[in-house]
Amino acid sequence: MPHIGTLRESHLHAALKQYYAQPGDIFESPVAGFVADIVRGDLVIEIQTANFSPLKRKLPQLLQTHRLRLVHPIAVEKWIVRTDAAGRVLSRRKSPRRGCLEHIFLELVSLPELAAHPNFSLEVALVREEERRAPATRNRRRRKEWRTVDRVLLEVLDFEVFEAPADYAHRFLPEALPQPFTSRELARALGRPHYLGQKATYCLHRMGLLEEAGRRGRAKLWRRAS
């Protein structure tokens, strides 16, 4: 029988759990009133394939008694698979959207302060995946013809680990960045859209890596924290 923690588990989540597992690990174990994906001695490994907001209560509680590694996949290559109601494949195409490491800030905005906790680390897995879609149930409020029913892991291509705020500074604050700088200048230095620069500066500020340095017109200025 499936464990209660796995009843609604996606293929992506289950596959990543197996990918990171080692002999002796305990799966779906109760810890501090929550269910942990993997427990390895005093280390808890949590795999979160969606947004981080639901973890706001869970992670701080686990960090009081355990070291914790949060694993999050970002699809740098995605295939869209459409099936009929019976699950038969109708089409398969490559999505034009490609994820990047900086997309982690879209999720970190929910709990950026945890990056500075001595028991916390983050691992970003860069993956190839399939997004499986099936016909949506039609009603007056729902106009979408297709709904996502599962995400399937095809391959883990690479990963990056962040164990302390300094790791984020090394990866996301280029040495050539002017001081002070705007979020738009940070985005340009990283080769990413402005909205990711905004998310990044917010998170890096909350981690204690950046401090405000006035304004340039309507844009807020930032500099490395002393």
Side-chain angles (χ1 to χ4, degrees):
M1 294 294 292
H3 190 281
I4 189 171
T6 66
L7 290 175
R8 299 181 63 183
E9 187 175 42
S10 70
H11 179 280
L12 177 63
H13 188 277
L16 285 172
K17 197 159 59 176
Q18 291 299 321
Y19 180 86
Y20 282 96
Q22 295 181 7
D25 286 350
I26 303 173
F27 296 91
E28 306 298 330
S29 177
V31 179
F34 298 92
V35 177
D37 286 329
I38 300 174
V39 177
R40 183 183 301 155
D42 70 339
L43 173 66
V44 170
I45 300 175
E46 277 294 303
I47 297 167
Q48 186 71 0
T49 60
N51 68 78
F52 291 175
S53 294
L55 302 176
K56 285 184 176 181
R57 288 184 58 251
K58 182 178 185 177
L59 297 192
Q61 290 291 328
L62 296 178
L63 285 167
Q64 291 183 19
T65 55
H66 289 73
R67 294 183 298 119
L68 186 143
R69 173 156 295 188
L70 179 61
V71 175
H72 180 68
I74 293 177
V76 296
E77 181 181 305
K78 180 184 291 187
W79 292 83
I80 308 298
V81 178
R82 289 184 175 182
T83 67
D84 61 17
R88 291 183 292 265
V89 175
L90 301 176
S91 65
R92 186 175 189 269
R93 64 178 177 84
K94 191 174 184 179
S95 171
R97 296 184 178 181
R98 295 179 60 88
C100 63
L101 186 61
E102 286 78 10
H103 279 139
I104 192 60
F105 290 114
L106 299 178
E107 311 306 337
L108 271 178
V109 292
S110 298
L111 35 82
E113 294 88 353
L114 287 189
H117 196 290
N119 286 342
F120 179 83
S121 62
L122 171 69
E123 181 162 342
V124 182
L126 303 175
V127 305
R128 294 175 61 241
E129 70 173 63
E130 279 185 353
E131 183 178 288
R132 294 191 165 246
R133 299 178 183 179
T137 303
R138 293 189 177 184
N139 56 43
R140 294 180 180 178
R141 295 183 179 180
R142 190 168 188 170
R143 298 181 180 180
K144 290 185 177 180
E145 296 182 2
W146 301 89
R147 63 187 178 92
T148 300
V149 295
D150 203 0
R151 295 168 64 191
V152 177
L153 178 66
L154 299 179
E155 183 181 3
V156 177
L157 299 172
D158 202 357
F159 61 88
E160 188 129 4
V161 178
F162 300 89
E163 295 185 328
D167 297 330
Y168 296 87
H170 176 74
R171 182 60 182 80
F172 299 113
L173 291 175
E175 290 295 331
L177 195 64
Q179 298 292 323
F181 60 89
T182 66
S183 59
R184 189 178 297 277
E185 289 170 333
L186 176 60
R188 189 179 302 121
L190 295 172
R192 302 302 178 195
H194 182 212
Y195 76 92
L196 286 178
Q198 292 175 309
K199 301 291 186 182
T201 50
Y202 172 80
C203 291
L204 297 174
H205 172 57
R206 301 292 289 184
M207 292 177 195
L209 293 169
L210 298 179
E211 58 188 18
E212 295 185 26
R215 288 184 173 272
R216 185 188 301 151
R218 298 178 61 181
K220 185 177 292 186
L221 289 171
W222 302 94
R223 65 181 170 218
R224 292 176 183 265
S226 56

